[in-house]
Amino acid sequence: MRDSCKVSIVLLLVLINGVLGDNPYRFFTWKITYGDIYPLGVKQQGILINGQFPGPHIDAVTNDNIIISVFNYLREPFLISWNGIQQRKNSYQDGVIGTTCPIPPGKNFTYIIQVKDQIGSFYYFPSLAFHKAAGAFGAIRVWSRPRIPVPFPSPDGDFWLLAGDWYKTNHYVLRRLLEAGRNIPFPDGVLINGRGWGGNTFTVQPGKTYRFRISNVGTATTLNFRIQGHTMKLVEVEGSHTIQNVYTSLDVHLGQSYSVLVTANQAPQDYYIVVSSRFTRKVLTTTSILHYSNSRRGVSGPAPSGPTLNIASSLFQARTIKRNLTASGPRPNPQGSYHYGLIKPARTIMLANSAPWINGKQRYAVNGASFVAPDTPLKLADYFKIPGVFNLGSIPTNPPGGNGGYLTTSVMAANFREFIEIVFQNWENSVQSWHISGYSFFVVGMDGGQWTQGSRSKYNLRDAVSRSTVQVYPRAWTAIYIALDNVGMWNIRSENWARQYLGQQFYLRVYTSSTSYRDEYPPPKNALMCGRARGRHTRPF
């Protein structure tokens, strides 16, 4: 039965888009279960994938087709989203509440994903019900095709580090606190690959160079990453090859992913790999071990300390992260062949985060609109023209005056092939981290204070890094340029998961009147139907 299902899925993809027939298929079967975990020495109920915490990692090559059959054995609905995977023309596969019906308990859903024209380091995570604080996340590595040049020699090894803050409190307790309008506590610790202090060892050969892919999969805090006695050469950020600057430590904000090269060029012994919280008065720290294969000496002394509250140093570092214009991306043409700085944006959208109290409860908002999950995925409602699920214009394109907020299923309208400027304005005292599904965008500027039109004089219009997640410092702004070349319903959200859960997100409807499959795929044949879409039928093949 399972084999015949796989054959049907392959035939479906080939019918939809003939070019996919030339690209490999990689099949996965995942069983989602509860299980006991002890990441900080306390028994907790975690969410496991095939019995693993974190979940299995995914390896793919540019343009590969990834077929993941997910069986939900939890007692509640479940969804997985794919942070940074663009889902070209196919927002139904994004795995968030605005695009995809949750997988009911005891049921399954098969994701059909193509990593179209992408390379780099990403991760997946559970998007519903604060499940992210319980596990079910894992690494995604998208390798370049063999004939596409990579701007550095092949490393002697490739490691992934999923780092994030962690709570000893179970996720459903945290969820109840948020739903009651209360703030959740400060995290209890930091994990690397699901383990606490000294829980992982990475073995290296003297003189050889290794790639470390670092993702912040946490829910609340920026992290700083460093390796005792070693420097790190930055080579890739969320699918973009970068100018190869060397750092002694690196700030990784919520939802972000980086690749660095580390050469084992020190005396043979063990060294600390350190991850600590950033911009927090109480500093959370954890370690792993960098072990030289010929080492006879363990780690010694205290773990090296890192930066803590200073904003200026982090802002300076962020401005040094730039795109390598001569390197190839997923295709052989240089990354700099797309001259984004010569394109005049059609319009400017300003997005301001806030923390209003609404109906006596703490909420979070974007331009005053605090998102309420719909009973029907927005993308299905849009496709089937189901009224009453959402209204375009339910969120303004600029912040209104005042500090109030309102509850709504917020959707903003945008046009296919529009080139726009988005300014994230942060008047709060905490660092914000923003993600845009379906896209990679150019981070053209960031600075303190109020953004004005004069701020454009500070923009980097030549070699700004292209990525899908960006930070905004306290009482500061960040500006991006984005070409809306991917039709669909796309989630723009805070990567601080309490803020996201309580409304700091919305959906951007990138629209075309065309019904051609060249522009957007229809809902997949296996799409689950829920809410007001229940009983509807997708395409016949």
Side-chain angles (χ1 to χ4, degrees), residues 105-331:
K107 302 295 183 180
N108 80 293
F109 174 72
T110 298
Y111 289 90
I112 305 170
I113 299 168
Q114 187 185 29
V115 286
K116 178 68 174 172
D117 289 336
Q118 286 193 266
I119 58 167
S121 309
F122 311 98
Y123 68 91
Y124 62 85
F125 69 96
S127 63
L128 294 182
F130 224 70
H131 290 154
K132 192 177 183 184
F137 49 76
I140 303 173
R141 298 184 289 198
V142 183
W143 304 83
S144 296
R145 289 174 289 178
R147 296 181 182 178
I148 304 298
V150 175
F152 50 87
S154 294
D156 296 291
D158 193 292
F159 301 118
W160 50 273
L161 289 94
L162 301 174
D165 51 52
W166 192 257
Y167 295 90
K168 293 179 182 178
T169 305
N170 286 330
H171 73 282
Y172 48 83
V173 177
L174 298 173
R175 185 171 70 208
R176 286 200 295 265
L177 288 173
L178 290 171
E179 291 170 350
R182 297 165 58 188
N183 290 319
I184 58 177
F186 187 70
D188 296 296
V190 177
L191 306 182
I192 298 174
N193 292 348
R195 298 184 177 183
W197 191 278
N200 301 275
T201 298
F202 300 90
T203 300
V204 297
Q205 302 288 330
K208 296 187 180 296
T209 298
Y210 297 83
R211 183 174 185 172
F212 286 81
R213 301 175 189 254
I214 312 152
S215 295
N216 185 340
V217 298
T219 60
T221 58
T222 296
L223 300 175
N224 182 266
F225 179 85
R226 52 202 181 272
I227 301 178
Q228 183 183 26
H230 294 72
T231 58
M232 302 175 291
K233 181 184 292 185
L234 184 65
V235 294
E236 178 253 332
V237 172
E238 294 163 23
S240 291
H241 288 131
T242 61
I243 294 175
Q244 295 178 11
N245 295 327
V246 174
Y247 301 93
T248 56
S249 72
L250 191 63
D251 284 347
V252 185
H253 299 271
L254 286 165
Q256 293 185 340
S257 297
Y258 290 87
S259 282
V260 297
L261 298 181
V262 178
T263 300
N265 56 8
Q266 300 300 306
Q269 65 175 69
D270 291 356
Y271 295 88
Y272 285 112
I273 298 173
V274 188
V275 174
S276 60
S277 61
R278 192 78 157 86
F279 316 122
T280 59
R281 296 199 175 277
K282 178 183 177 182
V283 178
L284 303 174
T285 303
T286 196
T287 64
S288 288
I289 304 299
L290 185 73
H291 171 70
Y292 279 58
S293 61
N294 60 341
S295 169
R296 295 178 179 271
R297 182 183 174 190
V299 291
S300 59
S305 60
T308 53
L309 297 175
N310 184 273
I311 296 288
S313 61
S314 186
L315 175 60
F316 175 80
Q317 182 181 89
R319 288 170 171 166
T320 66
I321 299 173
K322 299 179 180 181
R323 208 176 198 205
N324 185 335
L325 299 182
T326 60
S328 297
R331 297 186 179 187

Side-chain angles (χ1 to χ4, degrees), residues 9-10 13 20 23-30 57-70 82 85 87 90 93 110-116 118 122 124 139-143:
I9 292 169
V10 172
L13 281 170
L20 297 184
N23 298 303
Y25 291 82
R26 300 179 187 270
F27 291 92
F28 302 85
T29 299
W30 287 358
H57 64 263
I58 295 173
D59 279 302
V61 176
T62 301
N63 292 346
D64 279 0
N65 302 292
I66 304 172
I67 316 300
I68 306 174
S69 189
V70 178
W82 320 89
I85 301 301
Q87 312 289 0
N90 202 8
Q93 304 290 349
T110 298
Y111 289 90
I112 305 170
I113 299 168
Q114 187 185 29
V115 286
K116 178 68 174 172
Q118 286 193 266
F122 311 98
Y124 62 85
I140 303 173
R141 298 184 289 198
V142 183
W143 304 83

Side-chain angles (χ1 to χ4, degrees), residues 254-485:
L254 286 165
Q256 293 185 340
S257 297
Y258 290 87
S259 282
V260 297
L261 298 181
V262 178
T263 300
N265 56 8
Q266 300 300 306
Q269 65 175 69
D270 291 356
Y271 295 88
Y272 285 112
I273 298 173
V274 188
V275 174
S276 60
S277 61
R278 192 78 157 86
F279 316 122
T280 59
R281 296 199 175 277
K282 178 183 177 182
V283 178
L284 303 174
T285 303
T286 196
T287 64
S288 288
I289 304 299
L290 185 73
H291 171 70
Y292 279 58
S293 61
N294 60 341
S295 169
R296 295 178 179 271
R297 182 183 174 190
V299 291
S300 59
S305 60
T308 53
L309 297 175
N310 184 273
I311 296 288
S313 61
S314 186
L315 175 60
F316 175 80
Q317 182 181 89
R319 288 170 171 166
T320 66
I321 299 173
K322 299 179 180 181
R323 208 176 198 205
N324 185 335
L325 299 182
T326 60
S328 297
R331 297 186 179 187
N333 51 302
Q335 292 183 145
S337 59
Y338 182 76
H339 301 286
Y340 69 92
L342 300 179
I343 306 172
K344 182 178 175 59
R347 60 177 173 141
T348 298
I349 296 171
M350 179 174 285
L351 304 175
N353 49 277
S354 60
W357 282 72
I358 302 175
N359 299 331
K361 293 184 178 182
Q362 176 69 73
R363 295 285 299 186
Y364 298 97
V366 186
N367 289 357
S370 185
F371 183 80
V372 177
D375 61 4
T376 307
L378 304 171
K379 190 59 202 168
L380 292 180
D382 200 25
Y383 179 80
F384 291 117
K385 297 180 173 54
I386 301 172
V389 177
F390 70 90
N391 293 308
L392 294 175
S394 48
I395 175 174
T397 56
N398 284 282
N403 299 318
Y406 57 96
L407 302 175
T408 185
T409 301
S410 36
V411 180
M412 186 180 292
N415 294 317
F416 183 40
R417 296 198 175 98
E418 197 174 25
F419 187 84
I420 64 174
E421 173 186 48
I422 296 178
V423 178
F424 296 101
Q425 181 70 59
N426 177 19
W427 283 117
E428 296 186 71
N429 291 321
S430 58
V431 177
Q432 303 292 311
S433 189
W434 289 91
H435 177 83
I436 301 181
S437 292
Y439 286 95
S440 186
F441 48 76
F442 294 97
V443 184
V444 294
M446 55 178 65
D447 206 350
Q450 171 72 51
W451 181 89
T452 67
Q453 294 195 18
S455 302
R456 295 190 181 111
S457 64
K458 303 177 183 178
Y459 281 6
N460 177 357
L461 298 180
R462 182 176 180 271
D463 59 358
V465 71
S466 178
R467 64 188 314 166
S468 60
T469 309
V470 70
Q471 73 274 22
V472 190
Y473 292 100
R475 300 191 171 275
W477 56 267
T478 294
I480 67 171
Y481 280 178
I482 182 170
L484 300 180
D485 58 357

Side-chain angles (χ1 to χ4, degrees), residues 12 15-17 88-93 379-380 383-384 515-527 529 537-541:
L12 172 62
L15 284 169
I16 293 290
N17 188 354
R88 304 296 301 177
K89 304 187 289 186
N90 202 8
S91 62
Y92 301 97
Q93 304 290 349
K379 190 59 202 168
L380 292 180
Y383 179 80
F384 291 117
T515 57
S516 170
Y517 290 178
R518 293 176 306 172
D519 297 326
E520 186 182 24
Y521 300 143
K525 184 179 180 180
N526 70 327
M529 293 291 151
H537 298 285
T538 59
R539 56 177 180 256
F541 54 84

